[in-house]
Amino acid sequence: MFLFACSVEAQSDSVFIRKMANEIFQHSTAYSNLYTLTKIIGPRLTGSPQTYISEKWASDALKQAGADHVYFQKAVVTHWVRGDKDQAALLSGNSRQNLHVIALGSSVSTKEGGITAPMVLIHDFDELEKRKNDIKGKIVFYNHPFDVDYVWVFMSYMMAVPYRVEGASRAAKYGAVGVLVRSMSSSTDNFPHTGALSYNDSFPKIPALAVGLQDADKLAAAASAQNDLRLFISTNAHTLPDTIAHNVIGEWTGSVHPDQFITVGGHLDSWDPGEGASDDGTGCVQSIEVLRSLKSIGYIPKHTIRFVLFADEENHGRGGSAYASEAKAKNEQHIFALESDGGGFTPRGFMFKGKDAQMLSVRPFLPLLVPYGITEFNMPGGSGPDVELLTDSIGILSAELVPDSQRYFDYHHAANDVFENVNKRELELGAINMAALIYLVDKNNP
Ligand SMILES: [Zn+2]
């Protein structure tokens, strides 16, 4: 285990970080890389043709940014396909109101032509249990809203997301034939937000779709006015046999300890309705920018820094688990791992996962980041979804950049997660803080 040196040469470090910030503000390629990844390549659903186009792009971009060598690490991934029939409507008497919906990742299809069944409105799992005898043969509409009181919106997400992940199987347990889930967002528009569900194999697999927030409110209002409502849902989503995707890894060889690794990355895959800009094109291009900027100003790393663009974070996290398992199997020596997967918004903090002593060891770095907008370390919630597996498997400290969260869930997994909703300066400020933290960890480790 490594502990960071307690004394930080604050003066020279702050001069170095200032120089790097200037380099990024003046010459960053993060924004133009994001344009290519989102506008030219587009959404990168695991197993889709864009998976492999983006892997090739990532390899070229890492080489261009100065990686000593770039390689692919295999991950066996599931291959879910959306199809082209995601539809739903509210039926009442002879009237029909179409709804903005999208199938959840891993959902099975409805039968050809869709399913029509009575709707039962459920607010939470306690209510589901109380009304378990009302569920059979129906479509459950989970209308669990985001808790608006949290300032850090990821908390609202964590409270709501079980309805997306577990809702289908918990309803199927009592005989439901389908589910519609209020989108995981507190935005004011009507874009439905997709995301992964997880079936419990003990119960039948039933189709599950997310509905936009305005339509969710309409459904709730209709349900309080009358009780003979029916829902129509249709999707031909399905899962093909497992396939192969890759983590794309660029290495910058350490000058003192080439066999000791620091990891920085984001995930290359994305959901398909938008362009995968904030989730997680931004984390990928920021990681590449860390390499480009440190190299441009002549930094020589002591340890090998790996820039990893992970596969399959959204569906099953198989890229992250392949990376962590290989690190463990090969007995690799890792020091630290950082991920950016909270969007390219104005940075506010870093959160860490590790032992108390490991977290204390990075605290002296915080004042050096304050001029660039970072004011908090150790926010709750673990670290990056791919890199935290290294903490779980080999016990190292891992971290995630925490940008301002107010807008992240407006776009998360929805059709408006596009390039235009990323601000160039905010994106670069995130890259500056990531590069600064990687520099401080590298330099202050023996
Ligand atoms: Zn993500």
Side-chain angles (χ1 to χ4, degrees):
M1 188 181 95
F2 297 86
L3 285 179
F4 303 131
C6 288
S7 72
V8 174
E9 296 157 328
Q11 184 73 29
S12 66
D13 284 341
S14 85
V15 169
F16 181 89
I17 293 168
R18 180 68 253 179
K19 191 175 163 195
M20 192 175 54
N22 291 352
E23 168 62 31
I24 291 177
F25 279 144
Q26 291 169 19
H27 305 296
S28 167
T29 57
Y31 195 64
S32 57
N33 274 338
L34 186 67
Y35 181 88
T36 306
L37 187 56
T38 55
K39 291 293 179 199
I40 310 294
I41 298 173
R44 305 167 298 281
L45 187 63
T46 296
S48 67
Q50 286 85 357
T51 298
Y52 308 102
I53 298 169
S54 63
E55 288 175 356
K56 169 76 171 70
W57 168 84
S59 167
D60 292 345
L62 284 163
K63 282 177 198 154
Q64 195 162 1
D68 293 328
H69 66 285
V70 179
Y71 58 98
F72 284 13
Q73 180 180 49
K74 255 193 209 177
V76 178
V77 293
T78 54
H79 188 186
W80 177 79
V81 178
R82 175 173 306 289
D84 57 2
K85 293 248 172 62
D86 293 353
Q87 290 172 33
L90 175 64
L91 309 173
S92 170
N94 290 327
S95 83
R96 174 192 171 104
Q97 189 178 351
N98 289 332
L99 304 167
H100 287 79
V101 295
I102 187 165
L104 298 180
S106 295
S107 177
V108 295
S109 65
T110 56
K111 66 179 163 59
E112 184 72 32
I115 302 171
T116 300
M119 174 175 96
V120 54
L121 168 63
I122 294 290
H123 295 93
D124 55 39
F125 289 137
D126 286 345
E127 185 182 1
L128 179 75
E129 294 304 316
K130 282 187 196 126
R131 298 183 59 192
K132 61 187 180 190
N133 296 326
D134 295 344
I135 305 299
K136 192 162 195 261
K138 295 180 182 166
I139 294 172
V140 168
F141 165 43
Y142 286 108
N143 192 35
H144 186 85
F146 255 30
D147 186 331
V148 295
D149 294 342
Y150 292 109
V151 174
W152 192 49
V153 188
F154 280 82
M155 282 305 292
S156 317
Y157 179 69
M158 283 187 257
M159 304 297 280
V161 81
Y163 295 91
R164 188 192 77 206
V165 176
E166 304 164 26
S169 287
R170 290 179 71 147
K173 179 179 175 185
Y174 300 126
V177 294
V179 303
L180 203 55
V181 183
R182 183 185 180 91
S183 285
M184 307 288 114
S185 174
S186 52
S187 70
T188 51
D189 57 44
N190 203 23
F191 290 111
H193 298 236
T194 189
L197 68 73
S198 176
Y199 287 121
N200 178 333
D201 290 336
S202 305
F203 308 109
K205 292 180 177 171
I206 60 172
L209 298 90
V211 61
L213 298 179
Q214 293 172 4
D215 283 346
D217 289 341
K218 280 183 198 158
L219 286 176
S224 67
Q226 58 189 111
N227 54 16
D228 63 339
L229 299 171
R230 288 166 300 136
L231 282 172
F232 162 78
I233 59 171
S234 165
T235 175
N236 59 359
H238 55 284
T239 299
L240 298 174
D242 284 357
T243 185
I244 301 290
H246 305 89
N247 297 327
V248 185
I249 303 176
E251 281 190 358
W252 186 13
T253 309
S255 57
V256 181
H257 303 293
D259 55 348
Q260 296 178 7
F261 302 102
I262 294 170
T263 297
V264 53
H267 66 84
L268 195 53
D269 68 306
S270 80
W271 288 108
D272 51 330
E275 298 167 353
S278 292
D279 189 9
D280 183 27
T282 50
C284 294
V285 301
Q286 285 170 326
S287 300
I288 295 167
E289 183 61 18
V290 172
L291 169 60
R292 193 206 65 80
S293 60
L294 283 170
K295 200 141 195 183
S296 295
I297 60 171
Y299 185 64
I300 296 172
K302 286 158 72 176
H303 312 83
T304 292
I305 306 180
R306 276 193 187 154
F307 302 85
V308 185
L309 307 191
F310 291 97
D312 190 48
E313 189 279 331
E314 297 293 4
N315 294 75
H316 293 94
R318 300 267 180 82
S321 49
Y323 187 70
S325 330
E326 190 167 318
K328 185 167 185 166
K330 290 185 170 172
N331 202 21
E332 288 176 351
Q333 284 193 55
H334 286 253
I335 294 170
F336 176 66
L338 169 65
E339 186 163 5
S340 166
D341 187 23
F345 306 102
T346 301
R348 302 282 192 217
F350 282 104
M351 58 187 189
F352 296 89
K353 184 172 178 180
K355 299 178 191 81
D356 287 350
Q358 292 171 322
M359 294 205 244
L360 277 174
S361 69
V362 291
R363 283 215 70 89
F365 303 150
L366 178 57
L368 289 161
L369 305 181
V370 169
Y372 306 95
I374 293 285
T375 56
E376 273 194 82
F377 272 16
N378 296 341
M379 298 163 99
S383 68
D386 297 293
V387 298
E388 74 176 357
L389 304 177
L390 284 173
T391 304
D392 300 340
S393 64
I394 56 173
I396 63 152
L397 181 66
S398 61
E400 183 171 14
L401 176 69
V402 181
D404 188 279
S405 62
Q406 305 315 309
R407 284 173 289 151
Y408 185 64
F409 292 97
D410 290 359
Y411 314 136
H412 183 246
H413 303 177
N416 56 346
D417 184 10
V418 293
F419 175 76
E420 290 80 355
N421 286 329
V422 176
N423 174 279
K424 182 172 183 290
R425 289 280 298 190
E426 293 179 10
L427 176 73
E428 290 167 356
L429 210 46
I432 288 168
N433 282 287
M434 292 167 68
L437 185 58
I438 292 296
Y439 155 76
L440 289 167
V441 168
D442 179 61
K443 177 172 168 276
N444 286 285
N445 262 280

